[in-house]
Amino acid sequence: MAEPFLAVDWGTTNRRVYRIEDGQVVNAESDSCGISAVSDFPAEVANIRGRMGDLPMLLAGMVGSKNGWRETQYVSVPAGIPELSANLLRIDDRTSIVPGLSCLAGQRPDVMRGEEVQLLGAAVAGLIPQDALLAQPGTHCKWARIANSAVVAFTTSMTGELFALLGKQSLLAEQLTGPVTQSEAFLEGVREGQRRDLAASLFGIRAAKMLGVRDDSESASYASGLLIGSDVCVRMEGNRASPVYVLANPDLGALYLAAIAENGGEAQLLDSHTAFAAGIIAIWEACS
Amino acid sequence: MAEPFLAVDWGTTNRRVYRIEDGQVVNAESDSCGISAVSDFPAEVANIRGRMGDLPMLLAGMVGSKNGWRETQYVSVPAGIPELSANLLRIDDRTSIVPGLSCLAGQRPDVMRGEEVQLLGAAVAGLIPQDALLAQPGTHCKWARIANSAVVAFTTSMTGELFALLGKQSLLAEQLTGPVTQSEAFLEGVREGQRRDLAASLFGIRAAKMLGVRDDSESASYASGLLIGSDVCVRMEGNRASPVYVLANPDLGALYLAAIAENGGEAQLLDSHTAFAAGIIAIWEACS
C-alpha cells in the first residue's frame, strides 16, 4: 500500500485533518481553523505536522482558493479521480492541493472547491450506484450528477446563504428567529417552493404575519422549507426514478430527505467524512 | 364639486402631499418624511395643514400600518373605490386613513398599503382598459389584476429588497457595486430568470467571476435582470395577449418594459402621481 500521509479538508470556517495509513484513517481532528482564521499557511501546516505526524500532505477545499494558501485551477467536468490527481498544485515535494471543478451546464457557469473529493469518494467507496444524483446541503448547496466515477455536471444553489441573509436584516428578519423543524410548516414551505416563484413566496411570509394566518413561531420552518423546496423541486425534474444521495449531517440531511420525499423522490443519507476519506485516499493512491 | 382637501401618500421613506380643489391638484410637495422619520403624527399633520391649508385630510400608505399613525384594516379583494371609501379609519371628523388590501390568491396570503390608491386611480382615470394587469416596481413589487375598476387579485414580489440585500452583504456584494443599465447583460439576466431557479442562478454570478466569463462591471445589470426577469416571467404566464401597465419612474420603468418585452409581452408606462391623485380624489368624492 501507499505510504502514510495527512489529508486536510480545509474549508472557509472549519478544518478537518486525517492521518491515513495503509488506506485507513488512523487519527482525525476537527477545529474551526478555516482559511478565514488563518494568515500564515506554512506555519499552520508545520503545526499540523507537529501534532499529527511529519508526513506528506494532501489539502483540499477553500485552501486552494484566492483567499486560501495558493489558488488552484478549476478542472472542467467531466472529471474523476484521475483528472484531479493529474492537476494537483504542488507547493513543495511533499505538500499538494487538490484542484476544484468547473462546469458550464446549460450556459450557467458553476464552480466547486472541496466538495469534489466527497462526491468522488462516495463513488469510489461504492456508496452510490454507477449513475447517481448527489446533494451536499449547506451555505451553497451542491447538486452533482456522477456517472462512471466522474462528476459529469453540477449545480450550486445559494439556499443556505439566502436563509441566513433573510434572517439577518430583511423585512422577514424578526420572523425567522425561531427553530427550523421538520414540521408541517416546513412541508407547507416545500410545497410553496414548487411554484418556483421565490421572491413572491418570500413576501407571503410577511403577509401571513400581517393577516394572522400562520403562527409566527413556524415562520422559520416554513421559510427553510420554501428555500430548500425551491431548490429540490428544480433538481428533481427528471430525477424521480432513482434515489438522491445526500451528504450532510443528520439534522440538515433530514430536512432534505423530507423535501425530496415531498417532491415524489427518494433519498438516502451518506456520511460525508467517510466519503471525504475515500476520495482523498483514491487521489493519493493515483499519484503515488 | 366636493370641498377642497389635502391628500397624503405617506410611505415608509417618502411622503407626497397634494392640495386638491374642484377635483384638481393645485399644489403638491414631496419630502423624505416617511413614517420611519416621524414620531409625533398629530404634530406632523398640523405642520402639513400649516403649510398646505387648514383643510380636511385623507391619508394613504404605510401611515396606516402598525409602525405608522394608526393601523387600518385590510379590505379583502375584490375591492374598488366604494370598498375603500366605506372602510376609512376616521382619526377625527376631518382626518381619515385609507385601508389596505389583502388577498389569498392560490393560498398564498398577500397584503398592500398605499398602492391600491394608484392602482384604482389608474382605472378611474381611464388610463387602463376594463381588465388589465398592472405592475408597481420597487422594494416590494406589486402586480395587480384590475377588472371593472376593482382590484381582483395581486402578488407582491420581494425583488427590490433581494437585490439590496445581496448587494449589502452576500457572497455577491463586491460584484454588485456597479450601475444597473438596460444592457445586453441585463437581458441575459432576464433570460436566465426564465429558468425559475433563482438561488442557483444567483450563484452563477459568482461562478462567472471565478471563471472570467463575464466582465464583472456588468454583474449588477445581470443580477437586476435576473431578479426582475424571474418575477416578470411568472407574472406574464397567460398574460402575453394584453399589455402590462407599469407604474414607475422612467428609469426603473424602462427596465421592467425591457424585461416584459424579452418575455414576449408588451408594456406601457403610467405616471404614478397622476394615478394616485385620480384615486384619492375618487375616494374623497365617494365619501363626501
Side-chain angles (χ1 to χ4, degrees):
Chain A
M1 293 297 281
E3 61 171 329
F5 74 104
L6 303 180
V8 189
D9 187 0
W10 209 331
T12 300
T13 49
N14 293 299
R15 180 176 66 180
R16 205 167 160 92
V17 184
Y18 303 81
R19 181 182 168 124
I20 292 162
E21 293 177 18
D22 291 334
Q24 299 287 334
V25 174
V26 295
N27 192 10
E29 62 165 39
S30 286
D31 57 38
S32 55
C33 293
I35 62 155
S36 60
V38 169
S39 53
D40 185 344
F41 284 93
E44 265 304 308
V45 162
N47 285 341
I48 293 171
R49 285 195 168 109
R51 287 195 307 275
M52 301 284 283
D54 191 23
L55 294 171
M57 196 181 279
L58 197 47
L59 313 162
M62 294 303 283
V63 67
S65 72
K66 195 172 290 189
N67 298 324
W69 188 1
R70 287 261 296 279
E71 196 175 359
T72 66
Q73 64 173 297
Y74 292 108
V75 175
S76 74
V77 296
I81 298 292
E83 288 75 18
L84 292 181
S85 307
N87 289 285
L88 297 183
L89 174 69
R90 296 190 187 277
I91 303 275
D92 58 41
D93 62 4
R94 53 183 212 144
T95 315
S96 297
I97 308 181
V98 177
L101 295 185
S102 65
C103 176
L104 277 165
Q107 300 311 302
R108 181 166 61 203
D110 214 326
V111 290
M112 68 166 67
R113 262 195 205 293
E115 295 91 349
E116 64 288 342
V117 179
Q118 285 184 24
L119 293 167
L120 293 169
V124 298
L127 305 176
I128 57 170
Q130 283 274 331
D131 188 326
L133 178 65
L134 285 83
Q136 285 166 296
T139 304
H140 301 140
C141 183
K142 302 284 176 188
W143 293 82
R145 168 66 57 189
I146 308 276
N148 299 314
S149 299
V151 176
V152 293
F154 65 93
T155 300
T156 307
S157 184
M158 280 181 59
T159 321
E161 179 166 357
L162 283 176
F163 185 78
L165 272 178
L166 291 163
K168 225 179 280 177
Q169 55 167 216
S170 76
L171 175 77
L172 307 179
E174 58 168 17
Q175 293 183 257
L176 303 183
T177 53
V180 172
T181 62
Q182 196 190 317
S183 55
E184 179 51 31
F186 176 84
L187 295 177
E188 207 189 305
V190 170
R191 289 189 291 272
E192 175 70 19
Q194 291 167 345
R195 299 172 76 165
R196 299 176 67 166
D197 190 12
L198 188 57
S201 298
L202 285 170
F203 189 83
I205 296 172
R206 174 68 171 183
K209 179 185 167 79
M210 295 295 102
L211 299 174
V213 298
R214 183 182 307 113
D215 185 330
D216 215 21
S217 67
E218 293 181 326
S219 292
S221 294
Y222 179 89
S224 173
L226 170 62
L227 286 162
I228 291 175
S230 300
D231 189 25
V232 164
C233 168
V234 183
R235 246 50 69 191
M236 295 300 291
E237 275 189 341
N239 279 313
R240 284 185 185 78
S242 46
V244 180
Y245 295 85
V246 180
L247 287 151
N249 66 50
D251 287 350
L252 186 55
L255 295 177
Y256 273 76
L257 263 56
I260 290 166
E262 194 70 20
N263 276 279
E266 230 189 295
Q268 211 173 294
L269 206 55
L270 299 181
D271 181 67
S272 52
H273 301 316
T274 305
F276 179 83
I280 205 82
I281 290 167
I283 295 168
W284 178 254
E285 292 181 346
C287 59
S288 293
Chain B
M1 292 294 284
E3 62 171 327
F5 73 104
L6 303 181
V8 188
D9 187 1
W10 208 331
T12 301
T13 49
N14 294 299
R15 181 176 65 180
R16 205 169 160 93
V17 184
Y18 303 81
R19 180 182 167 122
I20 292 162
E21 293 177 19
D22 292 333
Q24 299 287 334
V25 174
V26 295
N27 192 10
E29 62 165 38
S30 287
D31 57 37
S32 54
C33 293
I35 63 156
S36 59
V38 168
S39 53
D40 185 344
F41 284 93
E44 266 303 308
V45 163
N47 286 340
I48 293 171
R49 286 194 167 109
R51 288 196 304 276
M52 301 284 283
D54 191 22
L55 294 171
M57 197 182 279
L58 196 48
L59 312 162
M62 293 304 283
V63 67
S65 71
K66 195 172 291 189
N67 299 324
W69 188 1
R70 288 262 295 280
E71 196 176 358
T72 66
Q73 64 172 297
Y74 292 107
V75 176
S76 74
V77 295
I81 299 290
E83 288 74 18
L84 292 181
S85 307
N87 288 284
L88 297 183
L89 174 70
R90 295 190 188 276
I91 304 275
D92 58 42
D93 62 4
R94 53 183 212 146
T95 315
S96 298
I97 308 181
V98 178
L101 295 185
S102 65
C103 175
L104 278 164
Q107 300 312 301
R108 180 166 60 203
D110 214 326
V111 291
M112 68 166 68
R113 263 194 204 292
E115 294 91 349
E116 65 287 343
V117 180
Q118 284 184 23
L119 293 167
L120 293 169
V124 297
L127 305 176
I128 57 171
Q130 283 274 330
D131 187 326
L133 178 65
L134 284 84
Q136 284 166 297
T139 304
H140 301 140
C141 183
K142 302 285 177 188
W143 293 81
R145 168 67 56 189
I146 308 277
N148 299 315
S149 298
V151 177
V152 293
F154 65 93
T155 301
T156 307
S157 184
M158 281 180 60
T159 320
E161 179 166 358
L162 283 176
F163 185 77
L165 272 178
L166 290 164
K168 225 179 278 177
Q169 55 165 215
S170 76
L171 175 77
L172 307 179
E174 57 167 18
Q175 293 182 258
L176 302 183
T177 53
V180 172
T181 61
Q182 196 190 317
S183 55
E184 180 50 33
F186 176 84
L187 295 177
E188 207 190 305
V190 170
R191 289 189 292 272
E192 175 70 20
Q194 292 168 343
R195 298 171 75 165
R196 298 176 67 166
D197 189 11
L198 188 57
S201 298
L202 285 170
F203 189 84
I205 296 172
R206 174 68 172 183
K209 179 185 168 77
M210 295 294 102
L211 299 174
V213 298
R214 184 182 307 114
D215 185 330
D216 215 22
S217 67
E218 294 182 327
S219 292
S221 294
Y222 179 89
S224 173
L226 171 62
L227 285 161
I228 291 175
S230 299
D231 189 24
V232 164
C233 169
V234 183
R235 247 50 70 191
M236 295 300 291
E237 275 190 343
N239 279 313
R240 284 185 186 77
S242 46
V244 180
Y245 296 85
V246 179
L247 287 151
N249 66 51
D251 288 349
L252 186 55
L255 295 178
Y256 273 76
L257 263 55
I260 290 166
E262 194 69 22
N263 276 278
E266 230 188 297
Q268 211 172 292
L269 206 55
L270 299 181
D271 181 67
S272 51
H273 302 315
T274 305
F276 179 83
I280 205 83
I281 290 167
I283 295 168
W284 178 254
E285 292 182 346
C287 60
S288 292

